Amino acid sequence: MYIESLEAIHFRNLKPLKLSLSPKMVMVKGNNANGKTNLLEALYVCATGRSFRNATSRQLLQHGQEQGRVKARFFRQSVR
């Protein structure tokens, strides 16, 4: 199984993003406070429906936003 794509709007400190991911290894790198952990948290929320930081839904939204969205597409053995 691998993650084919990820979209996030108004999630934590992430700018709106739409990523297409490779079934091979993906490396995420950047300076401190640039959103690497928030990107992983967005994937975790898509996979489990909750935050690994035990944050409420409200805490996942960017400051001042009433709604947001995270969406991932998973690929498993020819089933999307």
Side-chain angles (χ1 to χ4, degrees):
M1 178 169 75
Y2 71 92
I3 302 158
E4 192 172 67
S5 64
L6 174 69
E7 294 180 39
I9 298 172
H10 303 308
F11 186 86
R12 296 282 192 180
N13 74 337
L14 298 177
K15 292 181 180 176
L17 65 88
K18 191 179 272 192
L19 299 174
S20 295
L21 302 168
S22 167
K24 298 183 181 185
M25 184 172 67
V26 174
M27 181 171 69
V28 178
K29 72 179 214 175
N31 292 329
N32 288 340
N34 278 355
K36 297 177 301 293
T37 302
N38 292 336
L39 178 69
L40 295 175
E41 186 176 23
L43 290 170
Y44 189 89
V45 168
C46 288
T48 67
R50 61 183 186 87
S51 165
F52 56 72
R53 298 178 187 175
N54 295 321
T56 65
S57 296
R58 173 59 99 194
Q59 292 170 321
L60 297 176
L61 293 175
Q62 289 176 350
H63 180 71
Q65 296 297 326
E66 293 294 319
Q67 60 185 353
R69 179 178 69 223
V70 290
K71 177 180 169 183
R73 184 175 179 132
F74 297 88
F75 183 86
R76 190 187 104 191
Q77 298 176 357
S78 302
V79 178
R80 288 188 170 127

